[in-house]
Amino acid sequence: MRVAYAAQGMNSPAQESNLDVAALADGWLPLLQKWMDQASAAGIAEPNAMVLATVDAEGLPASRTVLCKGLTEDGLVFYTNYGSGKARQLDAHPYASATFSWIAFAHQVTVRGPVDRVDPEVTEAYWRTRPRGSQLGAWASQQSRPIDSRAALDAQLAEVTARFSGVDDVPLVPGWGGFVIRPRTVEFWQGRANRMHNRVLVTRTDTGWIAERLQP
Ligand SMILES: Cc1cc2nc3c(=O)[nH]c(=O)nc-3n(C[C@H](O)[C@H](O)[C@H](O)COP(=O)(O)O)c2cc1C
């Protein structure tokens, strides 16, 4: 099967410069931000989507998509229900891997590292930016818990919608908030012809970062 890269033009992998290994030793953030911005400018749906991998109590990996809602030197922030499967897994084993794939650009980035909950004020500030419908949806769902039917779920939404009908600012759901993945390694992958792809692994050290090229 052939990968369908973006047609001709500036997005074509063939016209993109090779990854600058030396520049990546100055830090992983600028290039990750650039690739995400590129995907966003091209109109790719959910350009901040990343597949988050955790492990369960048996060591069985689990993965799902979440949205990266904060990107700084400290790490990558996503928001979720603290009672969800992923959150329970992270509480027990606070390490994660997250992969962005922008297939149209032949770009992939994988971040791995320890995970912490963000400060409640950070969650509160983000919560205020969420649309009311998303806030109500968060109140209505005990994420990852079984429920008997779609009708039961809809009834839960109707109940919270009525409960907050006279309330301008829907309060933060108790047990909902952010996690930050603090990168220990960040791998950049850039597709090239004949499987001769570029890969650069950026690794945290005591004093900064080192970047090394990996074979494809
Ligand atoms: C594009 C996309 C974005 C998503 N973003 C989030 C998110 O930011 N936070 C979240 O909790 N779930 C998000 N989800 C849903 C998760 O993939 C997942 O179904 C849910 O969090 C429950 O996962 P868990 O049972 O492993 O905790 C998203 C799904 C998709 C497809």
Side-chain angles (χ1 to χ4, degrees):
M1 191 176 74
R2 293 186 56 198
V3 175
Y5 295 128
Q8 300 305 309
M10 59 183 288
N11 301 341
S12 160
Q15 293 177 24
E16 190 179 22
S17 62
N18 283 319
L19 287 180
D20 184 345
V21 179
L24 279 166
D26 292 336
W28 52 273
L29 181 59
L31 186 59
L32 176 51
Q33 185 71 65
K34 179 180 167 185
W35 282 9
M36 198 183 294
D37 291 347
Q38 247 176 7
S40 177
I44 287 176
E46 312 291 13
N48 55 340
M50 56 186 185
V51 174
L52 174 80
T54 52
V55 289
D56 73 7
E58 294 168 30
L60 188 65
S63 59
R64 78 293 282 159
T65 307
V66 293
L67 298 181
C68 176
K69 291 291 186 175
L71 185 57
T72 67
E73 290 290 349
D74 280 348
L76 291 76
V77 176
F78 63 91
Y79 291 90
T80 195
N81 188 307
Y82 285 146
S84 66
K86 74 182 85 51
R88 283 178 278 145
Q89 288 161 12
L90 287 170
D91 287 343
H93 186 76
Y95 296 89
S97 173
T99 296
F100 298 90
S101 346
W102 299 289
I103 304 294
F105 286 86
H107 286 166
Q108 172 181 261
V109 179
T110 298
V111 177
R112 300 168 69 217
V115 174
D116 294 313
R117 293 188 181 194
V118 303
D119 291 337
E121 310 83 73
V122 174
T123 290
E124 182 72 41
Y126 171 67
W127 175 263
R128 293 279 138 248
T129 69
R130 301 196 88 206
R132 187 179 181 87
S134 303
Q135 294 174 334
L136 293 172
W139 271 96
S141 168
Q142 293 189 313
Q143 194 178 46
S144 312
R145 306 281 178 191
I147 192 162
D148 285 344
S149 64
R150 176 74 210 192
L153 184 62
D154 291 341
Q156 290 182 183
L157 179 62
E159 191 275 317
V160 296
T161 302
R163 197 190 325 163
F164 293 115
S165 65
V167 178
D168 282 348
D169 291 328
V170 177
L172 174 63
V173 179
W176 189 96
F179 284 100
V180 55
I181 309 172
R182 303 190 188 282
R184 201 172 266 182
T185 64
V186 183
E187 186 196 317
F188 292 85
W189 183 99
Q190 186 187 50
R192 282 290 183 266
N194 303 319
R195 307 280 166 214
M196 295 299 283
H197 311 303
N198 286 319
R199 293 176 66 192
V200 178
L201 180 66
V202 183
T203 304
R204 181 186 287 280
T205 68
D206 289 342
T207 52
W209 299 94
I210 55 166
E212 56 196 337
R213 180 175 289 277
L214 303 180
Q215 298 180 50

